[in-house]
Amino acid sequence: EDQVTQSPEALRLQEGESSSLNCSYTVSGLRGLFWYRQDPGKGPEFLFTLYSAGEEKEKERLKATLTKKESFLHITAPKPEDSATYLCAVQEGGGYNKLIFGAGTRLAVHP
Amino acid sequence: GAGVSQSPRYKVAKRGQDVALRCDPISGHVSLFWYQQALGQGPEFLTYFQNEAQLDKSGLPSDRFFAERPEGSVSTLKIQRTQQEDSAVYLCASSTGTSFYNEQFFGPGTRLTVL
């Protein structure tokens, strides 16, 4: 059965303190791995898609990387506005592009 | 339109009532997905439409859940005889095409509370 596990469940950082969020997955035939950001009371907001092991993508203070078993979301010098829940999702081969999500990592960045 | 919209944003129902949740996808988007998000969890897939055709309903938890998209644009998720375990945020997402390269854009969700 396809599974996505995110760690840690919650992370508290001081402003400027870099860290990484982990997403490990088991899926038959990965089509893509997605990172979303979700603020309270809002829907998930797309950040990145990664398609193959070794791929990396960057956006401002965020960098996502992918291996055959896991993905990391690196946050460099975070700011309070980076506080949110970060969701990882996988899309398996076959089917109709449904996303299988992890439970998310709740990030709090304090000034 | 600016993005995916959903209504109502909040719905309180008494156990046993029927509810209908509406999704307006981005204009021209072919694919439409419904997800259910329990408190503190990630979204879970419910059903998928390609235009007006419901191609995957494998995630619908029971026959009390029914979804439709009759004209290939607006979609409605209906829950009959609501139960307390149906309390969750219901998210709608749409994408431009049917390729797995197409990003899914999410609406703000409808928070359903069943008393």
Side-chain angles (χ1 to χ4, degrees):
Chain A
E1 183 179 325
D2 299 338
Q3 251 186 331
V4 179
T5 303
Q6 292 189 246
S7 62
E9 290 184 9
L11 182 62
R12 177 188 170 117
L13 299 174
Q14 289 297 122
E15 185 172 2
E17 179 187 1
S18 300
S19 188
S20 296
L21 313 182
N22 177 263
C23 171
S24 62
Y25 63 90
T26 54
V27 63
S28 52
L30 180 73
R31 275 186 175 174
L33 185 139
F34 298 76
W35 283 97
Y36 282 83
R37 168 188 172 132
Q38 187 172 29
D39 292 295
K42 296 189 176 181
E45 176 188 344
F46 173 78
L47 293 174
F48 304 108
T49 309
L50 302 167
Y51 296 105
S52 57
E55 190 175 359
E56 298 183 353
K57 288 192 177 174
E58 287 189 66
K59 180 181 179 180
E60 297 180 354
R61 295 177 292 282
L62 301 177
K63 183 168 88 171
T65 62
L66 180 65
T67 73
K68 288 186 178 179
K69 293 184 178 180
E70 58 190 350
S71 176
F72 291 93
L73 184 65
H74 307 276
I75 304 177
T76 302
K79 298 183 177 181
E81 53 262 42
D82 295 322
S83 298
T85 295
Y86 291 84
L87 295 165
C88 170
V90 298
Q91 200 172 63
E92 61 174 2
Y96 293 104
N97 304 329
K98 69 180 180 185
L99 296 176
I100 301 168
F101 283 87
T105 293
R106 295 188 309 279
L107 174 65
V109 182
H110 296 268
Chain B
V4 178
S5 60
Q6 294 186 244
S7 61
R9 291 294 317 278
Y10 304 91
K11 177 70 179 177
V12 178
K14 292 183 179 178
R15 191 174 59 180
Q17 283 184 333
D18 298 348
V19 299
L21 313 180
R22 177 186 169 108
C23 172
D24 283 82
I26 295 172
S27 179
H29 277 198
V30 169
S31 295
L32 186 145
F33 302 80
W34 282 99
Y35 293 86
Q36 180 190 59
Q37 187 173 25
L39 190 63
Q41 299 299 313
E44 288 193 9
F45 171 79
L46 293 176
T47 189
Y48 166 68
F49 289 87
Q50 183 177 314
N51 295 308
E52 68 278 4
Q54 188 175 19
L55 299 184
D56 188 348
K57 50 183 180 180
S58 62
L60 296 176
S62 77
D63 58 8
R64 296 186 295 105
F65 286 71
F66 172 74
E68 60 183 7
R69 193 187 186 198
E71 297 178 359
S73 56
V74 171
S75 177
T76 303
L77 177 67
K78 297 179 180 178
I79 309 174
Q80 297 177 325
R81 304 181 303 283
T82 52
Q83 304 294 314
Q84 286 189 324
E85 60 263 30
D86 300 334
S87 295
V89 174
Y90 290 85
L91 295 164
C92 175
S94 70
S95 63
T96 55
T98 58
S99 166
F100 65 91
Y101 287 107
N102 298 136
E103 170 192 341
Q104 292 183 28
F105 295 86
F106 282 82
T110 294
R111 180 177 297 277
L112 173 65
T113 303
V114 181
L115 303 177

